[in-house]
Amino acid sequence: MSASESVGLILHSRRFRENSRIIEVFTQEFGRIALLARVASKKAGSRSSGLQPFQESLFRWRGRSELQNLQSLDTLTVYELKDKATICGMYCNELIMNLTAKFLPLPDLYLSYRDTLKTLVHSKSLSVPLREFETTLLEQLGYGLNLETDCLSAEPLQGSGDYYYHAQLGFSRQSPGNDALRIDAGILEGIRERKFAEKKVARQAKYILGSAIQFQLGNKPLKSRQLLQSITKYSHE
């Protein structure tokens, strides 16, 4: 049986028995896969350092079960995230872990995720890369925001005035429920054009994209989101 290989980014790594780890990898060609990495005790320190998140590597593996055996890896790039950027990277990892199916290739989402990590290394603003990633994630999973059609009347979303947003339905000129968010048409246009660097657009986009994502997550909590909310002023960026 020949080995498979692909460039990938580690999402999560956990110990499995004394000398092995299970790593969740988001690969460019095969989507999300789980690999069993055996680490000899004498090399545990150096090998384990290559099995941490935010590292892009060329992975080679073989196996027939859902948990396959890692044969080797060559580290290509390490994204050295710090402080709040690390939590933002964890947030992206959790979304991919919770919302993507195993063995489903999503090459455009992979590139978006990699670009997000690159931006988080140097960017002072965390909200812009996160909103970009969230938008691409929803689109690639088939849950993208419908920014063109009124969810109640089926009329085009155009013109000035107020609109309403509901996570389960979408955007409409009419309020679809008491928990709908009212937004200005200019904000809607800003989200459509991904003007996430504008504070007003970013503030509303964070709520809208977050609501859409939480609807897909259901009751699954995100540890990284809770951590961000408790230690940063992230919501005001």
Side-chain angles (χ1 to χ4, degrees), residues 23-71:
I23 57 173
E24 292 278 349
V25 183
F26 188 42
T27 70
Q28 187 169 10
E29 295 183 51
F30 299 91
R32 185 166 60 87
I33 60 174
L35 300 176
L36 178 64
R38 292 181 171 82
V39 183
S41 57
K42 293 182 179 180
K43 301 179 181 179
S46 59
R47 180 70 184 273
S48 296
S49 65
L51 301 177
Q52 300 303 313
F54 314 133
Q55 301 188 52
E56 186 175 44
S57 303
L58 177 62
F59 296 87
R60 302 177 185 87
W61 68 90
R62 68 175 72 233
R64 298 185 184 276
S65 65
E66 185 171 307
L67 179 61
Q68 304 194 41
N69 295 306
L70 177 67
Q71 301 296 299

Side-chain angles (χ1 to χ4, degrees), residues 146-164 170-174 185 188-189 192:
N146 183 351
L147 300 168
E148 306 300 330
T149 307
D150 190 305
C151 66
L152 296 181
S153 69
E155 296 292 328
L157 292 172
Q158 58 187 17
S160 59
D162 291 336
Y163 288 90
Y164 296 87
F171 295 91
S172 177
R173 279 288 190 185
Q174 304 175 42
L188 181 65
E189 185 64 22
R192 184 183 287 121

Side-chain angles (χ1 to χ4, degrees), residues 15-26:
R15 184 179 295 279
F16 180 73
R17 298 176 181 171
E18 185 177 357
N19 295 324
S20 60
R21 301 185 73 86
I22 293 177
I23 57 173
E24 292 278 349
V25 183
F26 188 42

Side-chain angles (χ1 to χ4, degrees), residues 8-121:
L9 284 150
I10 294 175
L11 301 172
H12 186 261
S13 175
R14 67 181 187 275
R15 184 179 295 279
F16 180 73
R17 298 176 181 171
E18 185 177 357
N19 295 324
S20 60
R21 301 185 73 86
I22 293 177
I23 57 173
E24 292 278 349
V25 183
F26 188 42
T27 70
Q28 187 169 10
E29 295 183 51
F30 299 91
R32 185 166 60 87
I33 60 174
L35 300 176
L36 178 64
R38 292 181 171 82
V39 183
S41 57
K42 293 182 179 180
K43 301 179 181 179
S46 59
R47 180 70 184 273
S48 296
S49 65
L51 301 177
Q52 300 303 313
F54 314 133
Q55 301 188 52
E56 186 175 44
S57 303
L58 177 62
F59 296 87
R60 302 177 185 87
W61 68 90
R62 68 175 72 233
R64 298 185 184 276
S65 65
E66 185 171 307
L67 179 61
Q68 304 194 41
N69 295 306
L70 177 67
Q71 301 296 299
S72 65
L73 67 83
D74 297 317
T75 301
L76 304 175
T77 307
V78 178
Y79 297 100
E80 298 182 356
L81 304 184
K82 298 179 181 179
D83 304 325
K84 291 185 289 184
T86 301
I87 305 173
C88 292
M90 291 167 55
Y91 171 68
C92 295
N93 289 1
E94 282 193 282
L95 292 182
I96 296 172
M97 289 275 290
N98 283 288
L99 293 177
T100 66
K102 286 189 176 180
F103 308 113
L104 176 64
L106 294 165
D108 289 340
L109 180 59
Y110 178 87
L111 294 176
S112 175
Y113 172 54
R114 186 177 65 185
D115 289 344
T116 300
L117 294 181
K118 289 180 181 178
T119 305
L120 288 174
V121 172

Side-chain angles (χ1 to χ4, degrees), residues 141-206:
L141 296 179
Y143 306 127
L145 300 176
N146 183 351
L147 300 168
E148 306 300 330
T149 307
D150 190 305
C151 66
L152 296 181
S153 69
E155 296 292 328
L157 292 172
Q158 58 187 17
S160 59
D162 291 336
Y163 288 90
Y164 296 87
Y165 173 76
H166 191 283
Q168 296 183 22
L169 299 174
F171 295 91
S172 177
R173 279 288 190 185
Q174 304 175 42
S175 175
N178 294 330
D179 55 348
L181 172 70
R182 186 172 67 179
I183 64 172
D184 182 84
I187 299 297
L188 181 65
E189 185 64 22
I191 295 173
R192 184 183 287 121
E193 297 180 3
R194 298 196 181 195
K195 295 181 178 180
F196 301 131
E198 298 182 7
K199 288 186 178 181
K200 290 183 179 179
V201 175
R203 188 179 301 113
Q204 300 282 39
K206 181 191 175 190

